Every structure is written in C-alpha cells, then in structure tokens.
Amino acid sequence: MAQPQTQEQQGQNGHSAQGEVLIDVKDLRMYFPVTSGVVFQRKIADIKAVDNVNFFIRSGETLGLVGESGSGKTTVGRCILQLYKPTSGEVIFEGKDLVKMSSKNLRPVRRNMQVIFQDPYGSLNPRLTCGDIIGEPLVVHKLTGNKKEYRDRIAELLTLVGLNPYMADRYPHEFSGGQRQRIGIARALAVNPSFIVCDEPVSALDVSIQAQVINLLEELQERLNLTYLFIAHDLSVVRHISDRVAVMYLGHIVEIADRNELYENPLHPYTKALLSAVPIPDPVVESQREHMIIPGEVPSPMNPPKGCVFNTRCPIAIDDCHVEMPDLREVSPDHWVACLRADGYGPWNPAGLPE
Amino acid sequence: MAKLLEVDNLTTHFETQDGVVKAVDGISYSLEEGEIVGIVGESGCGKSVHALSIMRLVASPPGKIVAGKVLFEGEDLLGISMARMRSVRGNRIGMIFQEPMTSLNPVLSIGRQLTETLELHMSMTRQQALTRAAELLAMVGIPDPERRLKDYPHQLSGGMRQRVMIAMAISCSPRLMIADEPTTALDVTIQAQVLELMRSLALELGMSLIVITHNLGVVARYANRVIVMYAGNIVETSTAEEIYHNPRHPYTLGLLKSVPRLDEPTGEKLDPIEGLPPDLIDLPEACAFAPRCRFAIDRCLKESPTLMDVGEEAAHQSACFRAAELNEVASETTA
Ligand SMILES: Nc1ncnc2c1ncn2[C@@H]1O[C@H](COP(=O)(O)OP(=O)(O)O)[C@@H](O)[C@H]1O
Ligand SMILES: Nc1ncnc2c1ncn2[C@@H]1O[C@H](COP(=O)(O)OP(=O)(O)O)[C@@H](O)[C@H]1O
Ligand SMILES: [Mg+2]
Ligand SMILES: [Mg+2]
C-alpha cells in the first residue's frame, strides 16, 4: 500500500528541521467494541475511532493534527502513548515497536513520552499541591533523589514554565486557567521527555492567555529539543505552531503535508472546507473571501459511510467515491491526499483570499 | 435609521461573600434596526451578565441591576412588570445561549416546546402551531421537520440543537435576537453553517442581532459594528473595519496581536497581552487594563477613563487616555 512511512519515501522537506524519524505510526487501527446485553455482553458493532492511520514525526518537529470532534485525534495520541492497546498496527518509537512490548519493557520508554491535556481544570488532582502534582512523575519513575534535590527540581520546573517557585505549596484552585496549563506543562517536563502529545492544550483558554501558552510551548521546544504531536481543532493555531499538518476525518487521515503547502495548496475537499470555515480576524479580508460551506454533519463512526468517509458531505464526490476509502497517495513531494479527485481538482485559492 | 435598543449606564452587581462583583459597570450603547453588533472580550468581562440584564434574567439574589435604562422600541425594559417582560421575551426579543441543552427542556419534545410558545404568544390553535413549528424547523435547515418535531433534545446533535434554539428564538418574529456564544461549543464547519443561518435569517426577517463571542474572527465575518468589553466596561466601539484596522484601545490592539491569522506569513511569534484580567471586586479608581498595558502612564493608575470620541470618526469611541496617540506610540514600541 502506498503510504507515507519513512523519511526516504517522503523525500526531503524544505521547511522543518531534518531530524531523524522519532515516531513512525503504521496501519494504526483502534476499534472500540459496542456491546449490548445486561448479563452477557455481546459485541454488536465496532466504533472505528482510528482506521488505517499512517504518519511519522521527526525528532524536534511539531506535527499538527486537526479535525472536528470525534474524528479520532485523542485516540491517536493515546495509542501512541500506549494508554490504549491498538486493535492493530505499529507504533515505532526510537526504533522499537511499542505495541509489541511488555508493560515491564514499556516503563522506561513511557518516561520519554508525556501528555498535556486540554482541560486545565479537570486534569490536576485538586488535593495535591502544585509542587506534588509536578513531582508525581518523578516519584513514579523513582527519580526523586533526596528532599532537597526534589524541591530544587520542582522550583526549576516552575521557573521554566514562567511560574514562581513559591507557588509550589498552593493548590490547583488557587491558580487561573492559564497558570494551571503551565502546571500541566511543568509536570509533563519533569521527567525530561523527548516527545509530548499536546491534546488541545490551549482550546479552553482565552486568546491572550492562549498566546502566552503557545509562546511557552515554542520556547520550550527550542530549548529542550522537544518533539510535539499538537492536537487541536483551531486551524489558525495549528498552522502557527506546526511544521507539518495532518487532517483527520472520521478515523482517517485525509491529507498530510508541510504546513505551508497544506494551507496554500489544500487538495482534499474537507481540508478546503475546514480552511474556508475559519474566519479571519479582519472584516475587509472576510468581505472579499469566498466562503465554502459544506452541508451536513459528521456521520456516526459506528455507521460510517460506505466508500470514502467524506462522501456524504463532499461537493465533488463521484460514483467511485462510494466504492472504497481511498488510500493516501503522494500528489507532490511530501504532500499526501486520500481523495480520488485530488488531482483533477486543481489548485484552489486556499483560504478563499482575494488575489 | 431608528434606534431599536438603547442601553444607558447599565450597571449590574453581584453580592458575594468576598464583596460586590461589579460584573457590568455602567455600560451604554445603542443598536439600530437591522444592525449586527458583535460584542467581544475575554471570559468574565461581563458579556453574558449584560445580556441577561437586558432580558431581566439575572438571578437575584445574588445579582442586582443597580442602575441604568434599557430602552427597547422606546420602552424602558427595566421599569416594566414581570408579566409584560415575559411577553417582550416571547415576542420581541429572542435569545440564544452557548449550550442549547441547558435552555431546552429535556422532557418535552422539540415540537411541544415550539408549539407552547406559539400558542401562548401568538394565540395559535394546536394545529396552526404544529404547522408553523414544522415550517420553522425547515427554515433553520433541519431535514425532515415533521418527523423531527417528535424528537427530544438529547436525540439531536449539538448543531441541530442550536438550530432548534434559533427556531424557537425566531418563532414569534422578534425585532432583536441576542446570541450569547452561539457557536462556541460547535465544530468549525457547523459553526459556519449556524452563523450563516443566523445572518440570513436576520436579513430575511429584518431582525437586529447582537452576537456575543470571544472569537475575533467570527465578529470580523459577521458584525457591522463591534463593542469591546473589559472588566465590566466597554473600552472601545466602532465599525468593524475601524476596530480591526485602526484600534484605539491597547486592549483591542493586544487581542488582535494575540491571535494567529490564516492569511499572515508563518514563522512570526505571537505577541500576547501579559498578565490576567482583574478581579471585579474592589477595582481601584484607575484604568482596569493599566496593570497589563504596555502604554500605561501615571494618569492611567489614578483615574478611570470614560468612553470618548476619537479622531474625526465620531462613530469611534475609546476609553483610553492615550487613544489619540496610540498609533504612534504602538509603532514606536514595536519598531
Ligand atoms: N474509550 C472509548 N470507548 C468507546 N468509544 C470511544 C472511546 N474513546 C473514544 N471513542 C470514540 O471514538 C471516536 C473518536 O474519539 P476521539 O479520539 O476522542 O476524537 P477527537 O479527539 O478527535 O474528538 C469518537 O466517536 C468517540 O466517541
Ligand atoms: N451568580 C454570580 N455570582 C457572582 N458573580 C457572578 C455571578 N454570575 C456572574 N458573576 C461574575 O460576573 C462577571 C461577569 O461574568 P459574565 O458576564 O458571565 O462574563 P462573560 O460572559 O464575559 O464571560 C464575572 O466576574 C463573574 O464571575
Ligand atoms: Mg479529543
Ligand atoms: Mg459568557
């Protein structure tokens, strides 16, 4: 199957740092069983949350993952982190397939992969002090050292994320949303990971606070050579922070490319619709933009359309689109699209901007 | 054009254990027939409390409208009886909230909720109301409306529920619709559908629209005029074009620089507003934005500025002592 799997296959990429491939996800599937029955649970269907997903992330880069809610973004992140055991597929991290590893062997690998969540309110234990929340991963991985080293490390982490070391003794409710997100980031950084899944890390924050956190994530990446999978539904934010971007729809990656290429020359009709739906904060630009509004809603993943999963909303679907889900194919160097009609569709004024 | 709504010195406070929260602190603005006004500002700045105050829906206690007037078609809504207010809410002003699930009754079918209002406010018979309800669902783009009338709110998606809310809000052909974060909980393609629907309905029905949102893009796409709120006050207001191209309040400027734009070159750093919005209890006599403002001078810490006309453009007002010189000062600091 033609899939973007290795750096060689994808050729050179002009934009991002030419790092080694750190994470390689191959044919990833995550099906959740739907059961019925009270005493005897019978499986009646599958939710195909992630279906045949392939991508890689290079060391030191940010791969943005966008798509509407329910498209499978969080599930992809959790499969990489081995918080879910995938139905099938491989997650190769630093050369080893994590899916096949025993939980004992996974333990040291887990240290290298951390996660930052969307909800700065729900994701922190309200009964622990900020310091103990940040220090918890150190305890779990037995990296605490003596009391002083432990406290020094926490002070160092707080400073790193722009908080004051004296805040270590406070409880989560004493912090604002933006500050809580910083605590979540400090906690993720505690064990010196190389890779972080950022799952909608700024979606719940006000714009000015959002910008503070985005800048922080960028600075930390540069300083600590971090690799990010940045999950979000805000396409402007994803464009800003990512080196490459993958677009998901109903469990599938439908397009993946370098960020400038994706935003300037989107080829999948869903990518185009998403970009067109994002309003630009400028009334003059908006009044001149062409708005492509696709009808309908995302179908249920329990009962996805036959053929291409986007065919129920696609403005250019033809009969062939109802036969099978197209594979990703490389239409120009590094630019992969899962659409039968991608080529004939031609270049398109991406965000509908006036020439 | 005639003024449809005139809000004058509207002031709403909450009595709490920690003190008085000045959620809406004396705001004034007006709205013309057919206008679409966008109200923006970060969470907690008083947008929702302002809307609830207009509708007289602020929970009291702890809330209290302590001063002001809300003239709607010439009548002060703050002075009329509750019974009369209920009829204004049903007939002349419609409201849509962020989370439709909380404003729809979970145990009544969609049809029943629509027909109830129609029977009550439009004195229709059951049958007339049912026919009209199906028409309304069709108008807001709900497929198969006759069948949908029998559905309960939980059977619908978020986008469909918001369409039902819109159908309810327009059911008695109101003159004004207030939409408080109507699409914040929705995905972008659905957000675009719902906003487009609201705009075309406003146009078709000759209805004015107040759209409350924290999304600067949404305002830019849909509003004719923009009101920027900070800490319970209006800090700037003008036409959408002026606000985005010639902002005269440092807070507006800061908001615009905080958001990445799809049409800008990549690789530039965002320029966020530092710090946090203030607590609305015990605000000192000073500009509430001064602690976060990179252009603050001594005066800003001692006096609170009021909304004043800026420049030649009489339709542009800013509550900043440095409004007139802001363009020069701002270009100096970034250069
Ligand atoms: N633990 C689970 N059990 C069953 N279904 C799940 C589970 N987690 C996610 N799903 C389903 O999988 C699909 C993808 O979910 P998710 O990965 O959370 O999407 P996203 O993060 O893009 O919003 C959704 O339909 C969701 O309901
Ligand atoms: N019931 C209440 N009791 C006390 N304070 C309240 C209450 N409702 C709102 N507030 C306060 O009023 C201020 C304005 O809130 P709101 O209008 O909801 O903000 P916005 O809609 O702009 O996010 C906030 O500081 C909020 O904490
Ligand atoms: Mg998610
Ligand atoms: Mg609100």
Side-chain angles (χ1 to χ4, degrees), chain A residues 228-268:
Chain A
Y228 292 146
L229 175 65
F230 191 93
I231 298 173
H233 60 263
D234 183 326
L235 279 95
S236 317
V237 168
V238 166
R239 172 175 180 265
H240 174 85
I241 203 165
S242 308
D243 297 296
R244 287 185 304 127
V245 177
V247 180
M248 267 192 101
Y249 189 82
L250 213 57
H252 294 263
I253 287 182
V254 296
E255 185 160 9
I256 182 167
D258 176 271
R259 62 116 177 251
N260 287 330
E261 168 71 8
L262 189 95
Y263 283 79
E264 278 158 30
N265 187 28
L267 291 173
H268 198 284

Side-chain angles (χ1 to χ4, degrees), chain A residues 29-40:
Chain A
R29 287 189 172 79
M30 184 73 228
Y31 294 177
F32 294 108
V34 183
T35 54
S36 107
V38 183
V39 184
F40 300 103

Side-chain angles (χ1 to χ4, degrees), chain A residues 32-33 47 49 67-76 84 199 231 301:
Chain A
F32 294 108
I47 293 177
E68 292 177 280
S69 51
S71 58
K73 305 180 297 297
T74 295
T75 306
V76 166
Y84 288 149
D199 194 352
I231 298 173

